[in-house]
Amino acid sequence: MTATGSLPTARESAVPTSRRLSIAMWCAGIASFALLHAPQGLLTFVAADLDRSAAAVAWIISGATLGLALSLPLWAVLAARRGVAWSMRVSATTSALIALLLPLAPTLELLVAGRFLQGAALGGIPALAVALVHEVISGRRAAVVAGGYIAAASIGGLSGRLVAPLLAEIGGWRLGLLLLDLVGAAITITMAVLLPRTTPSGAPAGRTLRVFLRQLRDARLRALFLMGGMLLGAMIGMYNAITFRLEAPPYALPAAVVSFVFLAYLGGTAAAQLSGRLSLRFGLRTPLLAGCALMLAGALLTGTTPLPLVITGVVLLTTGMFLAHSVASSAVAGFAGADRASAGSMYNVFYYGGSSLFGWLCSAAWTASGWPAVVIVLGALAIAAGGCALAATRR
């Protein structure tokens, strides 16, 4: 009852739920992406400690995203049977426990295997987060909360990558990873507590798989799925290789200084926060193409020699990626209707599958032919992603 004695309106009842969900989504974005991407700032430390190449240690990142990508359909099936929020809680708890064991891995192979398992356990959060937002709230508020989740993801990715090298300079890469994993585990548990209850759809596994196949036949959704893989693949590939480049001549920067390149993620945070409002004002095509154009410009700038231009290129590519990804992931949920959880899972299969493939490819390109080869890969991915944007928004 309100102060006047009348029942609360639907709008009044929705406000606390929306705020609680928004906080939970920020926790989800920060923790999941910190746990997933923190080792990226440690790649040069691991390579030096274990005497392995850039292409070899890149599997620390690619292994986790591959495990995540392969697990996503299973999380969608589980969400249909047990509920989206319940599945996200299981994902948060399991991934937090695995994270605490990773710093104990004695070899690169065991570390990669552990990261694969961590990615698979973590998959329930990115697979279901946007779908949960649209299930609990609707309209413009849903787009804003979903954009907040993407913004939080950029902060999580930034904080893990930025802090890890600083800690590694003090106590080695294992200590740095352990401390970050402890913080990430605490935040994921906070998210699990804050999530609202949801009702399972009860859909059988066979129906969920049929929905996946139907969505793959949808031209708009298929274009967005492919676009997601190219977007994240380009950004992860750039960051996998850029630390090796900046620590090598002619820059020869200390690892602790190089870690500040990840501050470029702040551009992604701002872009993700604006994405919902931009899509409401201009539609889908304009922000999608703008994001791809920024990525292409950024890729080309990283091919120059002056350090300020290189860093500017990193910022532009990161900003463009998060702008395009935020709009694309929300569009997937909108196009899919009642099957948005399945569509979100399929989008993330391509999103993280692309991260595994193209993230490793950029490291291999750097190992084989240096930065010009990396620029070619990044530019091709940005152009191809723009083509997918046109296909997805064709009238």
Side-chain angles (χ1 to χ4, degrees):
M1 299 288 286
T2 63
T4 60
S6 60
L7 290 173
T9 65
R11 182 177 180 181
E12 290 168 340
S13 300
V15 169
T17 299
S18 177
R19 288 174 179 169
R20 182 184 177 103
L21 180 62
S22 181
I23 295 171
M25 289 299 99
W26 271 84
C27 289
I30 290 173
S32 60
F33 281 79
L35 290 173
L36 186 65
H37 295 304
Q40 194 167 41
L42 301 173
L43 293 183
T44 56
F45 290 92
V46 179
D49 183 41
L50 302 181
D51 193 24
R52 306 298 286 269
S53 69
V57 298
W59 279 107
I60 296 174
I61 305 301
S62 292
T65 52
L66 179 62
L68 192 152
L70 295 177
S71 74
L72 294 174
L74 301 178
W75 284 112
V77 171
L78 185 62
R81 301 302 300 272
R82 299 300 302 270
V84 174
W86 185 90
S87 301
M88 289 181 66
R89 290 189 182 97
V90 172
S91 174
T93 304
T94 308
S95 61
L97 292 174
I98 295 174
L100 299 179
L101 299 175
L102 290 176
L104 303 177
T107 66
L108 177 62
E109 289 72 20
L110 286 177
L111 179 59
V112 171
R115 288 279 293 166
F116 177 87
L117 294 176
Q118 182 190 29
L122 193 62
I125 297 177
L128 305 172
V130 175
L132 178 67
V133 170
H134 285 269
E135 183 173 332
V136 176
I137 55 180
S138 60
R140 295 187 176 187
R141 183 59 184 167
V144 173
V145 173
Y149 162 73
I150 303 298
S154 70
I155 291 177
L158 165 63
S159 60
R161 293 172 169 101
L162 182 62
V163 176
L166 300 178
L167 295 175
E169 289 277 12
I170 299 172
W173 66 268
R174 294 181 188 276
L175 177 62
L177 186 59
L178 175 61
L179 294 177
L180 285 173
D181 285 346
L182 284 171
V183 174
I187 298 175
T188 55
I189 299 304
T190 302
M191 178 214 75
V193 172
L194 290 174
L195 286 178
R197 294 184 180 275
T198 58
T199 303
S201 66
R207 179 191 177 278
T208 303
L209 293 176
R210 288 194 296 272
V211 170
F212 284 147
L213 293 175
R214 185 177 73 244
Q215 289 169 343
L216 286 173
R217 292 193 295 267
D218 185 304
R220 292 188 305 176
L221 290 175
R222 187 171 62 247
L224 290 171
F225 295 158
L226 291 170
M227 183 180 184
M230 296 170 189
L231 293 174
L232 186 62
M235 190 186 75
I236 295 299
M238 177 189 68
Y239 280 111
N240 277 353
I242 194 70
T243 54
F244 287 93
R245 182 189 181 192
L246 295 181
E247 290 183 29
Y251 308 108
L253 298 175
V257 175
V258 171
S259 68
F260 285 98
V261 74
F262 295 113
L263 286 172
Y265 260 62
L266 294 175
T269 304
Q273 282 288 79
L274 290 173
S275 63
R277 294 176 176 85
L278 290 174
S279 60
L280 288 172
R281 181 172 181 180
F282 298 107
L284 297 177
R285 174 172 288 191
T286 297
L288 286 175
L289 290 178
C292 295
L294 285 173
M295 290 181 66
L296 178 59
L300 295 176
L301 275 177
T302 65
T304 61
T305 300
L307 185 59
L309 290 181
V310 173
I311 300 303
T312 300
V314 172
V315 172
L316 288 179
L317 191 146
T318 305
T319 301
M321 180 273 166
F322 274 101
L323 173 59
H325 163 54
S326 299
V327 176
S329 61
S330 185
V332 165
F335 288 161
D339 294 318
R340 62 178 64 94
S342 299
S345 295
M346 186 56 66
Y347 176 83
N348 282 291
V349 168
F350 283 84
Y351 186 67
Y352 291 104
S355 171
S356 296
L357 173 61
F358 298 122
W360 171 82
L361 182 61
C362 285
S363 294
W366 162 256
T367 300
S369 303
W371 196 258
V374 177
V375 172
I376 292 173
V377 175
L378 297 178
L381 289 173
I383 293 171
C388 289
L390 291 174
T393 56
R394 183 178 296 117
R395 294 184 184 276

